[in-house]
Amino acid sequence: MNKEILEYQLFIDGQWTAGESGEMMDVINPSNREVVARVPRATQGDVDIALQSARAAFESGVWSNKTIDEKVEVLTRATMAVLANKDKLAWLEALTSGATLRRTSFVDVMSVAGSLAMSAAILKQLPEVEHAICPPWVAPMHSYTIREPIGVCAGITPWNFPMILAAYKFAPALAMGNSIVMKPASITPVTTLELAKILTDAGIPPGVFNVITGPGASIGNYLAAHPQVDKIGFTGSTEVGRQIAHLAADGIKRVTLELGGKSPLIILDDADIDMASSMTLLAFLTHSGQVCESGTRLLVPRKMQDQLVEAIIDKIKKLNIGDQMDLATDLGPIASAQQLQTIMNYVKIGQDEGAQIAYGGNRLQGGIYDNGFFHEPTIFINCTNQMQHVREEIFGPVQCVIPYDDLDEAIAIANDSPYGLGGGVCSTNTTRAQQVAKRMRTGSVWINTWHILRPDVPFGGYKESGYGRENCYHALMAYSEVKHICQDLTPDARSSFIYTFLGFNR
Ligand code: NAD
């Protein structure tokens, strides 16, 4: 692909639409700071228009009244359309987010397609009607429940996995017949815009899927608070998630929050060092640590700390860190200058707190690194769980090694966190690993692996990592209302038990 700057517009009512203000925002490649795209800086007026369009589409029934078979057919076409556009989507995702092209080409696009396909498959299996199991109550009654769309949804997503996290919201929302307005992060809006066009071409009617681009503080906040929004699906920081929860509470809106984490990885004393070191890299270095469920508190038996850290460093030295568009690259850049600065600040905090750096600790410099935002994988050793850089989410390639003396202590440390998103256990003993997994207070636990998020299993957090679950059956439930319909089959009021009993038919 060439180096032209891609120009986008907002996607509202099935069409590209220039924003009200005419102002544009630059989207850059974090490897070299080159501007690769421009998107509109939407205004609150644009949000109003997008929501009117979503509301009108919803009320018209053009999508909300479709049968399950009709929706499944469109979602299946959308799945195929995503796969047909695989190369373009993967390329744009890597270019703007800093994720390696190797990963986006396989994992990210397949995940988006998987979310659509799985939502369609689960929708097809859901009973259209559930009949009350009790026999006629005090009077002959026909009593049953159905699921209905909630209405207009807002999907607000962060910059680390723009496509995947958008699909976690729009796939179940669409499957259940809702309309949605997506607001991607300002630095990575491009693939969500591309998906809007792809889905609309695949048969999602105009107005059902809209995308507005602009800063969270102005339009994200306005969108979440808007009376036309019935449900908010938010992924992002715990700080902003808390604000969204307040806004949702004010409007009694339905809300799903996927927030931050500081996930613990417990190495058991029977662990294989080669597996433990590879698992550590997978847990904290995937996407240079910019993953909400990253394993960034490494609990190691004290006597194994030196040997394990040596094995980890050995593997880090073999990684290729550089241009994310090169298929040989293992780790790309940090997504933004702001995030790089956050990482550097936390490394300084860790040093000031007395944790020792066993590897890294610096911004990468020289050659290609000078134009972009690159940071060395960094290992702090001899940390305690009370240190600020160990407790707070850094969102970068920084591992905090905490030595422990017995397993109960390790589990207590693992659970001593305001977060509860991911957790992991490394062991050669399946029974022990499973027992430890059950004692961790987190929404996911991985044993001898990490980051396995599947469209057919729920994903979400305990504690301040959020509430609600994305993916699979749980997500479809979170984007629908349940309605009980009850019909008294007594032919007339005079012979009705209820009217007679209450005296309303005299
Ligand atoms: P962020 O909270 O700053 O922003 C997330 C989204 O919210 C963006 O689209 C942003 O524009 C918007 N936003 C910002 N302020 C807003 C406001 N006041 N009202 C409404 N919207 C607002 O997060 P980020 O920096 O983009 O992403 C990193 C964070 O996301 C990390 O904390 C990470 O752990 C979290 N995250 C969580 C998950 C998960 O599934 N739990 C996944 C990925 C990222």
Side-chain angles (χ1 to χ4, degrees):
M1 305 231 182
N2 58 28
K3 283 201 166 181
E4 65 170 320
I5 297 177
L6 301 161
E7 294 273 343
Y8 287 89
Q9 296 188 318
L10 308 175
F11 195 84
I12 298 176
D13 210 22
Q15 296 177 39
W16 296 115
T17 314
E20 184 183 64
S21 73
E23 279 182 53
M24 302 294 278
M25 306 188 300
D26 288 342
V27 178
I28 65 164
N29 173 352
S31 255
N32 55 24
R33 303 173 205 230
E34 279 176 13
V35 176
V36 293
R38 290 202 182 93
V39 300
R41 183 185 293 272
T43 61
Q44 295 181 353
D46 294 321
V47 175
D48 290 337
I49 294 168
L51 286 172
Q52 278 160 20
S53 157
R55 175 63 60 191
F58 181 72
E59 299 296 344
S60 76
V62 63
W63 180 250
S64 49
N65 286 348
K66 286 237 184 296
T67 64
I68 288 180
D69 283 344
E70 286 168 337
K71 284 187 288 182
V72 166
E73 190 187 325
V74 175
L75 292 172
T76 305
R77 273 209 304 275
T79 307
M80 302 314 289
V82 166
L83 294 175
N85 284 279
K86 168 179 169 294
D87 291 345
K88 184 179 189 187
L89 288 169
W91 190 84
L92 287 170
E93 190 80 330
L95 189 71
T96 55
S97 73
T100 59
L101 183 59
R102 194 196 318 158
R103 192 203 78 205
T104 60
S105 301
F106 181 65
V107 178
D108 298 47
V109 178
M110 294 309 286
S111 175
V112 174
S115 289
L116 286 163
M118 190 54 65
S119 296
I122 295 170
L123 177 62
K124 191 112 178 108
Q125 286 171 16
L126 282 182
E128 259 183 87
V129 172
E130 289 176 83
H131 292 278
I133 49 168
C134 59
W137 188 51
V138 291
M141 297 273 173
H142 180 208
S143 215
Y144 62 100
T145 54
I146 54 172
R147 290 225 154 244
E148 293 187 338
I150 299 175
V152 173
C153 306
I156 303 178
T157 50
W159 45 259
N160 58 339
F161 288 84
M163 271 198 301
I164 293 180
L165 296 173
Y168 280 10
K169 290 154 192 64
F170 68 68
L174 295 176
M176 297 314 282
N178 301 278
S179 297
I180 192 161
V181 175
M182 298 297 306
K183 209 293 291 168
S186 301
I187 62 171
T188 53
V190 166
T191 44
T192 308
L193 287 159
E194 291 283 349
L195 282 168
K197 181 77 170 71
I198 290 169
L199 266 57
T200 302
D201 289 349
I204 298 292
V208 173
F209 188 116
N210 309 276
V211 184
I212 50 164
T213 53
S218 55
I219 63 158
N221 195 55
Y222 184 73
L223 175 66
H226 205 290
Q228 285 293 347
V229 169
D230 304 305
K231 153 94 195 190
I232 308 165
F234 174 82
T235 301
S237 59
T238 293
E239 187 192 342
V240 176
R242 197 169 274 121
Q243 295 172 35
I244 300 271
H246 280 292
L247 295 174
D250 285 343
I252 319 287
K253 297 174 196 290
R254 282 79 184 118
V255 63
T256 303
L257 299 175
E258 300 289 356
L259 309 176
K262 190 80 182 186
S263 301
L265 161 50
I266 305 181
I267 309 291
L268 301 196
D269 57 10
D270 58 48
D272 170 64
I273 290 290
D274 186 50
M275 168 64 88
S277 53
S278 285
M279 184 176 171
T280 301
L281 263 63
L282 174 66
F284 95 102
L285 284 183
T286 300
H287 199 16
S288 300
Q290 303 165 110
V291 192
C292 49
E293 77 274 4
S294 287
T296 48
R297 288 187 295 142
L298 183 65
L299 291 136
V300 189
R302 194 174 300 278
K303 60 180 187 307
M304 287 170 70
Q305 179 175 228
D306 292 348
Q307 192 192 2
L308 179 59
V309 169
E310 194 181 310
I312 292 169
I313 292 172
D314 200 41
K315 287 183 180 168
I316 288 176
K317 286 181 176 161
K318 294 176 188 144
L319 293 173
N320 296 320
I321 306 176
D323 179 2
Q324 76 274 24
M325 308 311 285
D326 182 338
L327 290 175
T329 295
D330 299 308
L331 292 188
I334 303 302
S336 69
Q338 190 187 349
Q339 187 56 29
L340 177 63
Q341 190 57 53
T342 300
I343 295 165
M344 293 194 300
N345 292 349
Y346 271 111
V347 170
K348 168 91 173 42
I349 289 170
Q351 287 172 297
D352 292 348
E353 288 177 306
Q356 298 144 253
I357 290 186
Y359 187 83
N362 297 299
R363 178 183 183 165
L364 281 162
Q365 283 173 315
I368 167 185
Y369 299 137
D370 284 344
N371 290 330
F373 316 126
F374 293 89
H375 197 280
E376 288 179 299
T378 296
I379 312 279
F380 279 108
I381 55 170
N382 292 321
C383 299
T384 71
N385 200 45
Q386 310 317 318
M387 293 172 168
Q388 186 187 349
H389 76 292
V390 180
R391 294 196 78 75
E392 295 179 6
E393 183 181 52
I394 298 176
F395 226 53
V398 181
Q399 184 59 273
C400 303
V401 185
I402 307 171
Y404 71 84
D405 294 307
D406 77 75
L407 189 53
D408 284 342
E409 178 202 1
I411 294 168
I413 294 171
N415 288 336
D416 176 14
S417 170
Y419 296 115
L421 193 54
V425 188
C426 185
S427 173
T428 50
N429 182 320
T430 299
T431 308
R432 285 184 82 205
Q434 293 279 345
Q435 284 167 346
V436 174
K438 287 187 183 138
R439 292 175 66 189
M440 295 178 92
R441 301 286 300 156
T442 59
S444 301
V445 181
W446 294 281
I447 299 173
N448 296 342
T449 186
W450 205 279
H451 293 305
I452 305 299
L453 308 186
R454 303 167 39 144
D456 55 347
V457 296
F459 177 61
Y462 285 22
K463 300 189 264 180
E464 292 185 24
S465 290
Y467 41 74
R469 292 291 179 274
E470 294 195 305
N471 289 344
C472 78
Y473 168 85
H474 297 264
L476 270 64
M477 296 303 100
Y479 282 88
S480 56
E481 297 281 17
V482 63
K483 177 182 278 179
H484 170 212
I485 296 180
C486 177
Q487 182 176 359
D488 188 333
L489 300 173
T490 316
D492 56 76
R494 291 261 156 227
S495 46
S496 158
F497 171 80
I498 293 181
Y499 293 124
T500 305
F501 176 70
L502 295 173
F504 293 152
N505 60 359
R506 285 187 211 124

